[in-house]
């Protein structure tokens, strides 16, 4: 979100400094890895329309960078959620197909019960996340943004007509300051008396071998496990899987991880790995259920999975995660930049 915002501000002719406590592209926050699901498929029209705007913004970035950033496979949703999402897509005039399990299993290498509802939306796919992040960063630098790695912001201070941004190396005086600090934002904002109601959780991701992964549409499946039976801390909200370039298939149980401190080294949860392997083996007939890689990634969650993009005087809060924010980055970068322009006025 910070990189996308720096890009939008620099393209609007603003002087921008992007401060990163580690190195841009590190693996300790929320944005690392090779892929994220891109989908218009949401049960809520508001998110469908936002995702339509985001798709347009990704297409512009693809044209600007001359790179493909989304693998256009479409996406699949299983279960009761499929019907809810189909209604929201229909209300927004978005093309989609509601299939039976038998029809879906005939079109893709997946297992589905004959009468199971399966929603296919052809505009979805896999965002090639590392490449997309690189394209946003390249565009920001090209437009004139200064990027400073190893510049942890230690405090913010409101001053007369500006915000003082203190780092371990130097202090910057800015007309506006955007805090897009992911799981670290809450503590930084508390220093300027802004309450950000988010809780970081550490989510476990598991990778599997599968033939021709990039041809597979990302899958969302609302059949969650019984937590007690599988030794899980939380049932999670949905199972998901998507291609992982260079690796195979990446799968997880959305919102199943424990509350975490982003400064602590996290460890994957073996119970989640076991459940996800069971689910993925059941859903993909060609998958090897022996995990080939496991990692963690942090969600910064609001209570209802919404995002916080708001201005408090000269400080702008940009917290867009809850485990589904990546797809909106180039769009939200512009929204946040507009808030920052107001803040600087
Ligand atoms: C397992 C997992 C799966 C996901 N799947 C999807 C998906 O399929 N589709 C989708 O759309 N989204 C998905 N998401 C969500 C998406 O990745 C996030 O919404 C997005 O990456 C959030 O980006 P961010 O910029 O808010 O946070 P981050 O990427 O964490 O960036 C915050 C940055 O601020 C820096 N920072 C913090 N404090 C300071 C400070 N004091 N000084 C300097 N720098 C600081 C941090 O080091 C960090 O680099 C997923 C997330 C995870 C973890």
């Amino acid at each position: 979100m910070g990189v996308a915002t720096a890009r939008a501000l620099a393209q609007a002719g603003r002087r921008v400094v992007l401060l990163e406590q580690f190195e841009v592209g590190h693996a300790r926050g929320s944005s690392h890895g090779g892929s994220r699901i891109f989908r218009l498929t949401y049960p809520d029209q508001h998110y469908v329309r936002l995702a339509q705007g985001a798709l347009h913004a990704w297409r512009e970035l693809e044209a600007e960078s001359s790179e493909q950033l989304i693998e256009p496979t479409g996406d699949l949703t299983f279960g009761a959620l499929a019907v809810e999402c189909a209604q929201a897509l229909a209300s927004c005039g978005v093309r989609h197909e509601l299939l039976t399990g038998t029809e879906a299993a005939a079109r893709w290498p997946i297992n589905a019960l004959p009468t199971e509802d399966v929603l296919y939306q052809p505009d979805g796919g896999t965002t090639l996340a590392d490449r997309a992040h690189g394209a946003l960063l390249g565009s920001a630098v090209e437009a004139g943004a200064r990027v400073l790695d190893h510049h942890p912001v230690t405090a913010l201070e409101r001053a007369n007509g500006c915000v003082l941004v203190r780092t371990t190396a130097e202090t910057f005086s800015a007309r506006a300051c955007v805090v897009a600090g992911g799981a670290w934002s809450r503590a930084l904002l508390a220093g300027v008396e802004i309450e950000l109601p988010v809780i970081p959780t550490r989510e476990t991701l598991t990778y599997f071998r599968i033939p021709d992964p990039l041809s597979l549409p990302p899958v969302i499946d609302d059949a969650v496990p019984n937590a007690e039976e599988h030794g899980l801390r939380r049932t999670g909200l949905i199972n998901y899987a998507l291609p992982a370039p260079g690796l195979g298939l990446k799968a997880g149980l959305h919102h199943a991880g424990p509350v975490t401190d982003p400064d602590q080294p996290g460890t994957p949860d073996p119970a989640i790995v076991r459940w996800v392997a069971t689910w993925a083996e059941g859903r993909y007939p060609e998958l090897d259920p022996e995990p080939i890689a496991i990692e963690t990634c942090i969600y910064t969650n609001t209570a209802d999975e919404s995002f916080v993009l708001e201005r408090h005087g000269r400080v702008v809060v940009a917290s867009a995660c809850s485990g589904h924010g990546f797809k909106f980055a180039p769009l939200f970068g512009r929204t946040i930049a507009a808030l920052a322009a107001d803040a600087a006025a």
Side-chain angles (χ1 to χ4, degrees):
M1 294 302 149
V3 173
T5 304
R7 168 184 180 243
L9 282 167
Q11 287 184 336
R14 301 280 173 171
R15 285 175 59 212
V16 188
V17 182
L18 180 67
L19 301 165
E20 166 54 52
Q21 60 184 341
F22 307 126
E23 329 66 51
V24 172
H26 67 86
R28 289 189 248 183
S30 303
S31 301
H32 55 285
S35 59
R36 293 289 188 282
I37 298 174
F38 181 85
R39 60 187 161 104
L40 304 182
T41 310
Y42 272 90
D44 178 335
Q45 289 182 41
H46 171 67
Y47 284 105
V48 176
R49 293 190 201 284
L50 279 177
Q52 286 179 297
L55 181 57
H56 185 69
W58 284 117
R59 293 284 177 249
E60 285 177 347
L61 182 61
E62 285 183 323
E64 183 190 321
S65 64
S66 304
E67 286 190 293
Q68 188 187 13
L69 304 176
I70 299 179
E71 278 292 331
T73 52
D75 61 276
L76 297 174
T77 306
F78 289 77
L81 187 60
V83 179
E84 268 184 78
C85 290
Q87 282 164 358
L89 291 173
S91 308
C92 297
V94 174
R95 58 186 177 155
H96 62 279
E97 291 177 62
L98 200 49
L99 308 167
T100 63
T102 305
E103 289 166 333
R107 280 168 67 172
W108 295 279
I110 52 160
N111 294 319
L113 297 172
T115 54
E116 200 169 9
D117 288 313
V118 185
L119 174 65
Y120 171 60
Q121 203 294 310
D123 300 305
T126 299
T127 309
L128 303 171
D130 282 342
R131 196 188 288 176
H133 189 271
L136 285 170
L137 183 63
S139 174
V141 171
E142 175 76 29
R146 247 178 102 199
V147 180
L148 298 178
D149 284 343
H150 304 292
H151 269 66
V153 176
T154 51
L156 303 177
E157 212 176 290
R158 294 183 203 269
N160 209 2
C162 70
V163 183
L164 297 177
V165 181
R166 301 199 187 280
T167 74
T168 45
E170 57 194 298
T171 296
F172 297 84
S173 168
R175 298 269 297 279
C177 170
V178 175
V179 178
W184 291 267
S185 293
R186 190 174 189 166
L188 196 57
L189 288 165
V192 276
E193 282 155 19
I194 298 172
E195 164 71 16
L196 178 63
V198 292
I199 297 176
T201 56
R202 189 170 295 278
E203 307 292 329
T204 294
L205 293 159
T206 311
Y207 294 84
F208 303 95
R209 280 193 191 83
I210 198 164
D212 197 13
L214 282 180
S215 68
L216 297 171
V219 161
I220 285 185
D221 179 351
D222 69 1
V224 291
N226 177 313
E228 212 174 308
E229 193 184 318
H230 295 277
L232 294 158
R233 292 181 173 96
R234 296 196 283 157
T235 53
L237 296 177
I238 46 176
N239 302 287
Y240 65 88
L242 65 157
L247 281 168
L249 191 82
K250 159 165 137 179
L253 179 59
H254 187 56
H255 283 288
V259 172
T260 195
D261 173 349
D263 287 318
Q264 296 302 315
T267 49
D269 181 338
I272 296 179
V273 174
R274 280 194 299 277
W275 160 256
V276 166
T278 305
W279 171 78
E281 185 179 18
R283 192 54 91 190
Y284 294 92
E286 298 174 349
L287 177 119
D288 176 351
E290 189 59 39
I292 52 170
I294 300 166
E295 66 174 353
T296 68
C297 182
I298 297 177
Y299 281 2
T300 303
N301 306 285
T302 57
D304 61 358
E305 293 191 70
S306 62
F307 306 129
V308 182
L309 310 181
E310 59 189 25
R311 178 164 86 82
H312 296 255
R314 294 191 179 275
V315 177
V316 175
V317 179
S319 180
C321 184
S322 292
H324 68 125
F326 200 101
K327 67 180 69 60
F328 301 107
L331 177 73
F332 284 176
R334 288 179 185 154
T335 310
I336 301 160
L339 290 172
D342 283 351

